[in-house]
Amino acid sequence: MLNLVLFGPPGAGKGTQSQHLIEKYGLIHLSTGDLLRNEILQGTELGLEAKKLMDAGMLVPDEVVIGMISNKLDANRDAEGFIFDGFPRTVAQAEALDSLLKSKDSAITVMIALEVNDDELEHRLLLRGKGSGRPDDANPEVIRRRIKEYNDKTAPVAGFYKAQNKFTSISGIGSIHDIFDSISAVIADKA
Ligand code: AMP
């Protein structure tokens, strides 16, 4: 199995690259942000609770996203592998993912971090907010809060995978095509 964690701050290009990667490698794309937005669209209780935090640029509780990922792993037992996009976002989530995969005799193959500076992220997210309809992309204050949440709670997840010799980082600035080639080269090396 090829299990990839695509890592990086909001606006780094994880979603865009995931779309290309699922085509090339036949992986299942698991984006906790997409799963949460789907809950909101369906008006579930989980969605209503999560929306308050998401609109404020805060992370939703670990147990909520871990539960969603666990369900998706169970629902896709025959998958060739997974791309985890926007998950794990805390060390507790990374630990939970390791044990979920271990219980299925599997493991993370590699984490690939997309490096983009804060000014470029803010610029990209505001631009995306004009077309995406995502309330958390439209407000500069919420964007800064999301980047702060990333620096405080998510950045340490890199250390978790570094300790397992599974961490790689590449520049997330450049053409979509060139970044995709860099990611493919890492996969060819690690998989
Ligand atoms: P994203 O689409 O990945 O940018 O996520 C949008 C929002 O959903 C984030 O700002 C968080 O509020 C929430 N979210 C998504 N994934 C997670 C996660 N793994 N842990 C906690 N909150 C998450």
Side-chain angles (χ1 to χ4, degrees):
M1 271 183 114
L2 174 60
N3 292 318
L4 190 68
V5 176
L6 212 49
F7 190 68
K14 303 186 294 295
T16 304
Q17 292 298 332
S18 294
Q19 291 310 322
H20 294 283
L21 289 164
I22 53 177
E23 274 175 40
K24 178 166 179 181
Y25 295 98
L27 305 172
I28 305 268
H29 180 209
L30 293 184
S31 153
T32 38
D34 286 352
L35 294 172
L36 289 165
R37 280 183 288 276
N38 195 35
E39 295 282 339
I40 294 172
L41 272 180
Q42 294 187 357
T44 65
E45 201 170 318
L46 188 160
L48 288 174
E49 282 305 309
K51 183 172 172 19
K52 293 180 207 154
L53 292 162
M54 291 166 75
D55 286 354
M58 316 269 292
L59 294 186
V60 306
D62 287 336
E63 56 274 20
V64 172
V65 285
I66 292 166
M68 290 194 312
I69 289 288
S70 174
N71 290 340
K72 287 287 170 188
L73 292 179
D74 285 344
N76 292 284
R77 286 175 186 279
D78 298 330
E80 302 275 324
F82 296 89
I83 300 182
F84 298 94
D85 162 7
F87 179 92
R89 254 180 163 98
T90 63
V91 171
Q93 291 177 24
E95 286 166 350
L97 179 60
D98 261 12
S99 34
L100 283 172
L101 290 173
K102 200 168 180 192
S103 73
K104 297 175 193 317
D105 286 328
S106 192
I108 290 300
T109 312
V110 62
M111 164 184 267
I112 302 176
L114 299 175
E115 306 278 359
V116 179
N117 62 61
D118 286 2
D119 286 348
E120 171 71 13
L121 292 175
E122 203 172 320
H123 171 74
R124 285 188 191 181
L125 289 169
L126 280 170
L127 209 63
R128 185 168 86 184
K130 291 193 179 137
S132 71
R134 278 181 56 169
D136 59 344
D137 281 345
N139 178 335
E141 207 175 303
V142 173
I143 287 175
R144 281 193 284 273
R145 159 69 71 173
R146 286 161 66 202
I147 295 174
K148 186 175 184 321
E149 284 280 86
Y150 175 83
N151 289 328
D152 291 350
K153 296 178 186 164
T154 306
V157 176
F160 181 86
Y161 291 99
K162 275 179 195 161
Q164 299 185 13
N165 280 323
K166 290 181 176 173
F167 177 85
T168 316
S169 101
I170 62 171
S171 170
I173 295 186
S175 75
I176 291 173
H177 182 84
D178 287 350
I179 296 167
F180 182 66
D181 281 350
S182 306
I183 295 175
S184 300
V186 171
I187 294 173
D189 184 44
K190 294 270 184 180

